[in-house]
Amino acid sequence: MQLVGANLTNSKKLSKNLIADIRIEGRLQRTGDARSQISLDPYARRPTFAFNLEVKNVPLVKLNDFAKAYGGFTFKDGALKLAMEASAENGRYQGYVEPVFDHMAIFSEKSAENPATFVWEAILGALTEIVRNYPKDRFGTKVPFAGTFEHPQPDIFATIGNAFRNAFVQAFEGKLENWKKLPPVEQEKKQ
């Protein structure tokens, strides 16, 4: 992992722009590539930041502990790409997460030992086959989110609609739309 932080200061003499910028690059699960950029105003009264994350080529079998603990299933094959953008200002946040699963296979031979797991994985496998983009052998969606920190508002219908959009209209790529960055803080606001 490589981490670079810039402009980590609270001195107006050292920097006119008090926005901190942090960039991280590394290997996820020792196989996939990840990069992230965070711009934040640590002196804002309410959370103020712009966050970008892009993950590529993570073998899904490396995520089996997580999938088993939170979803009750395991992956047999495939790779994960993920893009995420989020920003916050004045107590409100917005963004999206775009997970993309290439060549995903859920159904595992080990699951046959437990009838409940066998049935659950068969259902998940069938659903992901139905809403898969076959030309790219890809299952994906885009999960938009927005709201206030006090009252989050997930958009479940948009997430489901995006899964069908990936399957039948255009496959998601798991890449960031654009790298967001906070604008410089004006000196008058900080005084």
Side-chain angles (χ1 to χ4, degrees):
M1 176 194 294
Q2 178 182 0
L3 179 128
V4 176
N7 207 33
L8 303 174
T9 183
N10 63 354
S11 171
K12 294 176 190 170
K13 292 178 183 175
L14 296 175
S15 176
K16 291 181 181 181
N17 175 359
L18 296 178
I19 299 294
D21 189 48
I22 301 167
R23 297 178 188 273
I24 304 168
E25 291 187 19
R27 308 274 295 161
L28 190 63
Q29 293 289 332
R30 298 183 183 181
T31 57
D33 296 315
R35 66 185 183 132
S36 179
Q37 185 267 328
I38 307 161
S39 295
L40 60 104
D41 181 356
Y43 302 102
R45 292 179 192 230
R46 303 189 100 185
T48 302
F49 62 85
F51 172 75
N52 304 294
L53 172 67
E54 196 170 65
V55 175
K56 295 187 269 184
N57 305 322
V58 177
L60 292 174
V61 294
K62 295 274 189 176
L63 304 175
N64 273 342
D65 288 341
F66 179 82
K68 185 71 173 168
Y70 294 99
F73 66 94
T74 56
F75 293 105
K76 181 178 180 181
D77 195 19
L80 170 70
K81 293 180 193 173
L82 180 115
M84 178 179 177
E85 290 184 15
S87 60
E89 192 172 15
N90 297 322
R92 298 193 60 76
Y93 65 86
Q94 66 178 10
Y96 69 88
V97 177
E98 184 178 300
V100 171
F101 303 88
D102 287 328
H103 317 293
M104 179 178 65
I106 290 177
F107 203 65
S108 168
E109 292 81 22
K110 292 181 183 179
S111 303
E113 298 168 6
N114 181 335
T117 303
F118 179 82
V119 170
W120 176 238
E121 287 188 358
I123 291 168
L124 286 177
L127 286 174
T128 59
E129 288 294 320
I130 291 169
V131 291
R132 182 178 300 235
N133 181 287
Y134 280 95
K136 293 192 176 192
D137 191 18
R138 178 174 291 164
F139 173 77
T141 189
K142 188 173 192 174
V143 183
F145 54 85
T148 64
F149 289 99
E150 294 81 19
H151 301 97
Q153 300 167 346
D155 194 344
I156 303 300
F157 292 114
T159 302
I160 293 168
N162 283 332
F164 282 99
R165 178 177 157 217
N166 174 77
F168 302 113
V169 179
Q170 181 178 4
F172 289 112
E173 296 297 322
K175 293 182 180 178
L176 291 171
E177 293 173 2
N178 54 36
W179 283 83
K180 293 181 181 178
K181 194 170 182 179
L182 286 178
V185 175
E186 297 173 20
Q187 286 296 329
E188 310 83 65
K189 291 182 180 179
K190 290 295 174 187
Q191 293 178 357

